Amino acid sequence: MPVNFEAPRIETGEWEGQALPRHCRIAGRINPRTSPVDGRDYAIAFVLRLPVGGAWNGRFVQLGGGGSNGATPTALDHVFASDTTPLLRGFAVIDTDGGHNAANADPEAGGSAAFGRDPQARRDHFFNAYDMVARVGKSLSAKFYGAPMHSYFVGCSEGGREALLMAQRFPDHFDGVLAGAPQFLQPMQSVSSVHGLQALAKEARARGLLDPDGQPAIHKVFSDGDLLLAANAIARACDGADGLVDGLVSNYRQCSGHRVVAQLRTVTCPGEKEASCLLPGQVTALRTLHAPVRNASGDQLYPGYPWDTGITARRAGFRAWWLGDYAKLKSDSIRLHFSSNMLRMVWHDPARPFALKQGPAIALRYPYARSPADPVRAWPAQSGNPDDAAGIAMINDTPDLDAFRAHAGKLLLWAGAADATHSLYQTQGYVDRLGKRYGTQRGNFARFFVAPGVGHCGGGPGPEKADLLGALVKWVEEDKAPEAIVARGHVPGEEANEASPLAPGTKNGLGGTYTRPLCAYPAHAHYRGGPIDQAASFSCTQAETTL
């Protein structure tokens, strides 16, 4: 494969007040070319950082991307759910832009998803870039250090999809794979976006909530106070199923929709809207957003979402993803401005360019009810090569991990229960299918951990910080399979202007920093006595508590 390298250089610096190890930075571009379709320059860009002077810990890690990729900034960022970066811990670290540069974004052709016009760029984004970068990165690292090394892949969201891609399609590349909130059903997740957005738009129109352009003001459908009412209803319905009323729903599998809806009805306005109640249309919208998405034939297109008290979270939470900033004139909902890009430019082949300003309107009228239950066959590639089809390349859900298992690979999956874009039921369903295939052996190589109250790749009042990578390393190198991983959470105080059922003013409310064990699925953390802010007061149990 042709690779153009920049001149390597030694770098140092700081990361959040901590000194980074001296490292050799190697940047390169694999398969540089000019597209015959759109005339833009493309390449699979990567940055490899190699600790020097004895700082290397003997390990290599490849970091996944996010969104639709397009940049290589992640080596100096937090790894999701962590307070640190692998480079600071001595890992050799590589990342990639997925085969396209965000500088090629075209506001008249889907913005950052404009790369979808180029068939090779799509192929690179689907799977090819991560394979190529893994090969180049591991080869360069082996030559640089001249020593054997353990290799890992870490990613969340789109990066989580890439992580599962590695375990499924390239099983020999990595010893350990960490997949957080893996968007391995991305085409159908985009369909779920338009389904929910249209439900919010219906409620906005019914109440006459319009933005300056006359479009439904979906960000005004729920105030922060309304979301707190919903969170409190969820807490009343389900909080005690884990043995403690503290604002966290650790036993999320016991939190059924009918329990929550019964509590929502107790705060439903009998007449006009008041601060202390929710309108019937708001309750209907919440039920729609949490329910499975089905097409006109009744086929399930995407699973529903768990009811979780983290619905109040702003960062990476329900408001950011579904609604947008309440105070703004127009909605800046992430789903509203992202779903059209992917649906029109990436899932459709050939791409269907559109001006970004038209994106929200496209999402609000997209005919999701006509979406196919089987996108693998329904969305073929124009090239005739099945590997180019989004339904094959982007839906990484095969439970056949025979080769990965034979390689002695370990797969650690993680999701937040309050994630408003990736449903943890999606990952749980995948783990259940692994269980059907491998039986009791599934836990020997694949384990799943759920963080209550935590949003997409972090955020929220739940226990969002944990050393997941460290747990994976111990599993791979010491054969210590994690039964529980201690995680840390922080409940925002009044100064954060973010209310939560976990706040100190509520019954048994948590305040400040606390810890909880994240238990290997299907177990959950159950309170057994002691200080409620300490993980040691909880144990992992598979018993289903009846409320």
Side-chain angles (χ1 to χ4, degrees):
M1 67 187 82
V3 184
N4 293 345
F5 290 101
E6 296 179 9
R9 63 175 185 262
I10 296 295
E11 291 191 350
T12 55
E14 289 189 353
W15 185 86
E16 297 194 352
Q18 303 176 74
L20 289 170
R22 293 179 69 249
H23 59 276
C24 178
R25 179 187 183 275
I26 301 175
R29 301 169 75 243
I30 303 170
N31 295 336
R33 61 190 175 82
T34 300
S35 169
V37 178
D38 60 18
R40 294 173 180 258
D41 292 332
Y42 287 92
I44 301 171
F46 67 87
V47 176
L48 172 64
R49 297 175 187 269
L50 301 161
V52 297
W56 183 50
N57 65 10
R59 303 180 181 101
F60 169 90
V61 64
Q62 182 168 330
L63 303 182
S68 56
N69 288 336
T72 59
T74 52
L76 299 182
D77 286 350
H78 289 90
V79 167
F80 70 96
S82 175
D83 280 333
T84 188
T85 173
L87 181 62
L88 194 65
R89 298 170 66 168
F91 285 81
V93 186
I94 197 168
D95 53 46
T96 176
D97 64 358
H100 57 275
N101 193 319
N104 280 342
D106 185 346
E108 297 303 314
S112 61
F115 71 90
R117 293 175 295 188
D118 182 82
Q120 183 60 48
R122 292 160 67 97
R123 190 179 301 113
D124 289 341
H125 175 68
F126 289 165
F127 62 90
N128 186 56
Y130 321 108
D131 171 38
M132 295 293 101
V133 167
R135 294 174 187 275
V136 170
K138 292 178 67 176
S139 175
L140 290 174
S141 299
K143 291 179 181 178
F144 188 86
Y145 293 113
M149 60 189 174
H150 286 285
S151 58
Y152 299 87
F153 192 103
V154 176
C156 194
S157 191
E158 156 61 21
R161 179 195 73 85
E162 296 162 16
L164 273 187
L165 172 75
M166 287 299 165
Q168 294 171 8
R169 191 162 184 160
F170 306 104
D172 294 331
H173 281 354
F174 297 97
D175 303 311
V177 169
L178 174 52
Q183 299 281 40
F184 58 88
L185 297 178
Q186 273 203 27
M188 310 318 288
Q189 191 272 340
S190 293
V191 170
S192 82
S193 288
V194 297
H195 164 78
L197 291 168
Q198 289 173 23
L200 291 168
K202 180 179 179 181
E203 173 63 8
R205 292 191 187 100
R207 292 164 56 189
L209 301 174
L210 303 176
D211 68 19
D213 293 334
Q215 296 297 315
I218 63 174
H219 57 309
K220 301 289 189 181
V221 170
F222 292 95
S223 67
D224 287 352
D226 292 336
L227 295 181
L228 181 58
L229 287 173
N232 285 330
I234 296 168
R236 290 193 301 273
C238 305
D239 193 358
D242 54 17
L244 176 68
V245 176
D246 61 351
L248 282 176
V249 181
S250 295
N251 191 358
Y252 72 92
R253 292 191 298 149
Q254 280 287 291
C255 195
S256 64
H258 77 271
R259 294 185 187 278
V260 175
V261 171
Q263 290 297 325
L264 288 172
R265 286 180 178 140
T266 68
V267 291
T268 300
C269 303
E272 294 184 358
K273 178 75 173 81
E274 296 181 3
S276 60
C277 63
L278 298 171
L279 290 169
Q282 290 179 300
V283 174
T284 297
L286 285 172
R287 295 179 67 179
T288 300
L289 291 171
H290 284 81
V293 180
R294 301 185 185 278
N295 62 15
S297 300
D299 304 309
Q300 180 172 302
L301 304 178
Y302 194 78
Y305 288 78
W307 295 91
D308 189 273
T309 54
I311 195 172
T312 58
R314 292 178 180 171
R315 181 171 68 87
F318 184 90
R319 174 163 294 286
W321 282 99
W322 279 117
L323 305 172
D325 190 335
Y326 188 90
K328 292 190 174 180
L329 292 177
K330 299 180 183 180
S331 172
D332 59 357
S333 157
I334 301 173
R335 282 180 177 262
L336 182 64
H337 292 277
F338 188 69
S339 56
S340 298
N341 302 28
M342 302 304 286
L343 283 166
R344 293 284 293 260
M345 299 299 298
V346 180
W347 312 145
H348 283 279
D349 187 8
R352 300 167 63 186
F354 67 96
L356 276 184
K357 61 183 179 182
Q358 299 172 335
I362 291 172
L364 295 181
R365 66 171 184 265
Y366 187 88
Y368 72 85
R370 297 207 300 266
S371 295
D374 185 356
V376 172
R377 284 190 284 271
W379 293 343
Q382 291 289 310
S383 67
N385 182 348
D387 280 348
D388 295 346
I392 291 177
M394 292 298 287
I395 298 183
N396 307 118
D397 67 343
T398 174
D400 182 356
L401 295 183
D402 288 0
F404 184 70
R405 183 184 178 200
H407 174 63
K410 308 299 182 187
L411 172 63
L412 196 158
L413 301 114
W414 175 93
D419 194 328
T421 181
H422 161 274
S423 172
L424 76 81
Y425 291 142
Q426 172 185 319
T427 306
Q428 177 184 309
Y430 178 70
V431 174
D432 287 343
R433 283 185 287 122
L434 288 177
K436 288 182 180 179
R437 183 178 179 91
Y438 298 104
T440 58
Q441 298 301 305
R442 189 267 297 168
N444 293 339
F445 69 93
R447 297 197 174 200
F448 176 41
F449 297 83
V450 174
V454 177
H456 188 57
C457 300
E464 63 160 337
K465 299 295 185 184
D467 187 9
L468 302 175
L469 178 55
L472 180 61
V473 167
K474 284 187 177 181
W475 193 8
V476 168
E477 300 178 21
E478 302 176 28
D479 199 26
K480 294 181 179 179
E483 296 292 343
I485 301 173
V486 175
R488 188 180 75 257
H490 181 79
V491 181
E494 293 183 1
E495 72 280 359
N497 193 29
E498 185 172 336
S500 166
L502 284 70
T506 60
K507 181 182 178 182
N508 287 340
L510 291 165
T513 300
Y514 65 95
T515 57
R516 283 286 188 277
L518 305 183
C519 300
Y521 172 82
H524 67 273
H526 190 85
Y527 180 65
R528 60 183 177 81
I532 67 172
D533 60 350
Q534 296 180 19
S537 300
F538 298 78
S539 60
C540 293
T541 178
Q542 295 188 30
E544 294 195 2
T545 304
T546 301
L547 290 172

